[in-house]
Amino acid sequence: MAFLTADIFDPTGDPVIDVMTGGFVWDLSDSRTISWAVADGLYGDVWTDRPAAVQIFSEALASFEPFIDVDFDDRGDFASPIDAGEAGADIVYTLDNTEASDGSLAYAYYPGPGVFYDFEQYGTEGGDIFMNFAARQNIMSSFAPGSDGFMTVIHELGHALGLKHPFEATLGRPVISDLDQTLVRDVDWFSIMSYDDQYADELERWDPATPMVLDVLALQYLYGPDTTTNAGDTTFDLVSRDYYYTLWDADGQDRVDVSGQSEGWIIALPFVQLSDLVETRSGFALPGAQFDAELVASAPTEMVWLMGDMEHATGSAHADILVGNALNNRLLGGDGDDELEGNAGDDHLDGGAGEDLARYFGDRSSFTVTIAPDTITVEDRRTDGTGTDSLSRIETVAFYTEQSSEQLDLETYAGPASLSAPELESFVELYIAYFNRAPDALGLNFWATAFANGLSRQQIAADFLDQDETLALYSDVQTDADLVTRVYDNVLGRAPDRDGFDFWIDALGSDEVGRDSFILSVLDGARAAPAQDASQAFVDQQTSDRAYLETKTDLGALYAVHNGLSDVDAATDTLALFDGTEESVADAVTAITRSHTDALDPDNGAFLMPVVGVLDIPFAG
């Protein structure tokens, strides 16, 4: 007799498990081994190529074995399934060609005996599989993995292990149409137990070669996962195949690699847990051209389910989409124009060559993008957000929600970290002199990047002169005397001394200095070394002016560079607090700290874009 018996179980309440299971399971409490055999039929049917039959069924069993904690033991070859059962075979691969006209390709029985004994033909019929080679479709198939014939074999093997058709409400269980149809479909590349084949006329390709995602989840519920499969560090090199298959990874640091592909792919590392009863997470990979906006709307000819713990992905030389999961991912885009999304976890996103985009789900106001000389980091400040990622060779960052999308062009804003400290401070001074406020981080980073890309400081100062803020600040200036007085007040916090006033009036009057470069000239003059014959009073005044401007610049840098704040109104109000006294410095620092604290709020805060590694943090005490 067969060694194993079967158990019956009630619906679990888990939709995925109940849709896929019929309530019958082999009892493996004493052994993890299920025995199998190949046998001729009951009514004179014999295998015309017995070695081929053994090979095909062995391959079918091998397609299941990596996913579940089961060993399949070959009991041999027998003259009938009855003989095989009496010799201890739990699952028998046999034939029944007696009903050539009934349209069936094959049939199988759920696990047994033990649950019931009223079998149709013999006592060990539970788990046995009958092939109908009178059916034209079976005759024409090669039974190679991915063919319709091989799909038929693994479909029936699914029944023999306890899986049901997902469209049948067996014993009160739900059907697949009851599930969330944005996640699953009743089609063969979601389950080998489905009858829906999008390419029914293709008998030799575009069918499953292993259990699919829903099958694996149900089988792992019934028999437990195989925790030894790919338990080390594994690289999965995805090569082009004309069929669907599933990869299962139990542990280790693993990489899914499509670098050898001749077209762009989508890789979504395992991220969704479809069943509450099975912890296994699922993802997928397929050519990007076969992805129709969402997975369930697609009709792929190549499809790989990714299941278990997979951390990293490498794209092709073409345009890829790489999507991470809750683990700490390393995503490498390759040479194409790629889209990378790390999701949760602290990830490293490397776009490689091309114009690459990093995507983040959430409003931009919940994020901090930090610019450093050697890297860019994107921090999601929400506790349930996407963690903190480091970016390399990424040109654009996109923040999106269901209602909106905003893009940040790093080629436009990420240049400040390449500047020297004096260069970056000089742009803070421009904001003070031209706008009479602290810089906003986005604006400061824009102009500093323009300078890093080759635009001169003089050209930028000329552009500042035409800004609305500058025009508004100096709109009531009519004469050169008014201009000199206003700039001294904004830059140095005082009225011009007589010598300085006369010097600049003469320079403006003689066109030695134009109005378009006057403000910049005052800034440069404040930093210039005094003449050797300068009076002590001049030296003292210049020292005082420098200290004032440096403090004002430090406040501006604290606001925009170190804290990454971009609220223009707060930038104006903060700098207005400074009047040169120590008390006013403390007031301004307190205001900046308060603005930064408010901005850090993950839900009601603001987008922050600090620059680190260029300027020392002022007022550290």
Side-chain angles (χ1 to χ4, degrees):
M1 298 294 291
F3 291 154
L4 296 179
T5 59
D7 290 330
I8 190 170
F9 61 94
D10 294 328
T12 66
D14 184 291
V16 168
I17 302 305
D18 291 342
V19 159
M20 294 306 306
T21 57
F24 304 97
V25 59
W26 291 106
D27 181 1
L28 301 184
S29 57
D30 295 327
S31 170
R32 305 309 302 175
T33 300
I34 297 176
S35 297
W36 65 278
V38 171
D40 291 330
L42 290 170
Y43 307 107
D45 299 312
V46 297
W47 293 101
T48 58
D49 189 339
R50 183 174 255 95
V54 173
Q55 178 66 26
I56 290 166
F57 198 61
S58 178
E59 290 180 359
L61 291 163
S63 75
F64 280 70
E65 201 161 22
F67 305 106
I68 53 178
D69 186 16
V70 172
D71 294 319
F72 293 106
D73 176 52
D74 182 4
R75 285 282 168 174
D77 184 4
F78 296 88
S80 79
I82 296 175
D83 294 340
E86 290 177 346
D90 306 301
I91 298 175
V92 181
Y93 185 49
T94 185
L95 303 97
D96 183 352
N97 301 331
T98 58
E99 296 291 340
S101 61
D102 69 357
S104 66
L105 303 178
Y107 63 93
Y109 291 91
Y110 285 132
V115 178
F116 53 86
Y117 294 91
D118 187 18
F119 289 105
E120 295 177 307
Q121 299 166 101
Y122 53 92
T124 61
E125 203 167 27
D128 290 354
I129 297 168
F130 294 81
M131 297 296 298
N132 179 9
F133 281 93
R136 176 176 174 273
Q137 195 166 328
N138 283 340
I139 295 173
M140 295 180 63
S141 178
S142 69
F143 285 82
S147 68
D148 200 78
F150 192 78
M151 163 67 174
T152 300
V153 175
I154 60 176
H155 173 101
E156 302 305 335
L157 182 54
H159 285 314
L161 291 171
L163 302 185
K164 75 174 185 69
H165 297 133
F167 52 84
E168 290 182 347
T170 304
L171 297 178
R173 285 168 165 79
V175 295
I176 195 168
S177 60
D178 296 330
L179 272 59
D180 185 347
Q181 298 299 289
T182 67
L183 295 176
V184 297
R185 282 185 61 183
D186 185 9
V187 67
D188 60 353
W189 48 275
F190 273 92
S191 171
I192 59 173
M193 309 310 293
S194 174
Y195 277 7
D196 190 351
D197 182 353
Q198 291 171 303
Y199 302 101
D201 294 334
E202 291 285 349
L203 299 185
E204 289 303 308
R205 58 181 182 170
W206 305 346
D207 284 307
T210 72
M212 297 284 95
V213 59
L214 298 180
D215 312 312
V216 171
L217 293 174
L219 290 166
Q220 288 188 341
Y221 171 75
L222 295 178
Y223 301 108
D226 188 333
T227 58
T228 66
T229 301
N230 299 314
D233 297 345
T234 308
T235 296
F236 299 98
D237 292 310
L238 304 190
V239 298
S240 292
R241 304 180 188 272
D242 282 336
Y243 56 72
Y244 318 129
Y245 61 100
T246 302
L247 294 172
W248 156 248
D249 186 90
D251 203 353
Q253 290 290 313
D254 313 294
R255 179 169 294 276
V256 178
D257 191 329
V258 295
S259 59
Q261 290 288 341
S262 60
E263 61 181 320
W265 274 59
I266 296 174
I267 299 175
L269 294 172
F271 65 99
V272 62
Q273 183 176 335
L274 292 171
S275 167
D276 291 335
L277 298 180
V278 180
E279 294 182 355
T280 298
R281 296 186 179 273
S282 305
F284 60 88
L286 76 166
Q290 298 181 27
F291 185 78
D292 189 9
E294 55 183 5
L295 186 62
V296 292
S298 303
T301 59
E302 293 186 67
M303 175 71 193
V304 185
W305 288 107
L306 307 174
M307 303 186 71
D309 294 322
M310 300 181 187
E311 292 81 7
H312 314 305
T314 298
S316 70
H318 310 277
D320 303 301
I321 298 175
L322 307 181
V323 182
N325 50 30
L327 304 174
N328 295 332
N329 308 127
R330 297 183 66 86
L331 308 181
L332 173 59
D335 290 343
D337 298 341
D338 307 308
E339 295 184 19
L340 283 64
E341 184 165 5
N343 284 317
D346 296 336
D347 310 308
H348 178 71
L349 312 184
D350 185 342
E355 295 291 322
D356 306 302
L357 179 144
R359 291 169 53 86
Y360 290 89
F361 182 75
D363 192 278
R364 190 174 76 164
S365 62
S366 297
F367 289 83
T368 298
V369 175
T370 301
I371 310 299
D374 55 349
T375 190
I376 295 171
T377 60
V378 180
E379 176 193 1
D380 187 343
R381 302 191 302 269
R382 297 171 297 178
T383 56
D384 59 347
T386 59
T388 300
D389 297 347
S390 62
L391 308 185
S392 297
R393 297 185 289 181
I394 296 289
E395 284 70 35
T396 305
V397 178
F399 305 96
Y400 70 98
T401 66
E402 294 178 355
Q403 295 79 31
S404 65
S405 178
E406 293 182 87
Q407 291 195 352
L408 180 70
D409 183 356
L410 295 180
E411 293 182 306
T412 300
Y413 291 98
S418 67
L419 303 185
S420 67
E423 287 172 334
L424 185 53
E425 286 178 332
S426 73
F427 288 101
V428 178
E429 292 174 354
L430 288 183
Y431 273 84
I432 293 169
Y434 283 82
F435 300 158
N436 195 29
R437 65 170 173 85
D440 58 290
L442 279 169
L444 177 67
N445 292 351
F446 172 85
W447 291 110
T449 302
F451 177 78
N453 290 336
L455 197 64
S456 71
R457 186 163 169 264
Q458 289 72 23
Q459 290 172 308
I460 294 172
D463 286 336
F464 265 52
L465 196 64
D466 292 331
Q467 299 297 312
D468 290 342
E469 286 186 85
T470 307
L471 296 174
L473 184 62
Y474 294 99
S475 61
D476 59 342
V477 170
Q478 302 296 323
T479 66
D480 289 348
D482 292 337
L483 179 62
V484 172
T485 301
R486 180 65 57 82
V487 171
Y488 261 72
D489 184 49
N490 292 343
V491 175
L492 304 177
R494 66 178 176 86
D497 57 281
R498 174 51 58 184
D499 289 342
F501 181 83
D502 291 342
F503 173 83
W504 290 115
I505 289 294
D506 289 344
L508 287 166
S510 64
D511 293 331
E512 180 182 343
V513 175
R515 281 198 168 201
D516 59 340
S517 60
F518 170 64
I519 299 176
L520 187 61
S521 297
V522 172
L523 288 171
D524 291 340
R527 290 194 305 271
Q532 290 185 349
D533 60 350
S535 66
Q536 186 61 46
F538 179 87
V539 172
D540 292 343
Q541 182 62 67
Q542 189 181 51
T543 300
S544 176
D545 289 342
R546 284 180 180 175
Y548 180 91
L549 181 58
E550 287 174 0
T551 301
K552 205 168 187 180
T553 300
D554 285 344
L555 289 170
L558 184 65
Y559 185 86
V561 177
H562 302 291
N563 286 304
L565 295 160
S566 291
D567 187 293
V568 172
D569 291 337
T572 302
D573 295 342
T574 295
L575 214 60
L577 295 171
F578 176 64
D579 61 9
T581 64
E582 292 184 5
E583 291 81 1
S584 68
V585 172
D587 290 342
V589 171
T590 298
I592 293 170
T593 302
R594 185 181 303 115
S595 294
H596 186 243
T597 300
D598 292 342
L600 286 174
D601 186 283
D603 299 312
N604 301 302
F607 174 68
L608 299 173
M609 196 175 186
V611 177
V612 301
V614 179
L615 300 180
D616 293 333
I617 299 176
F619 318 113

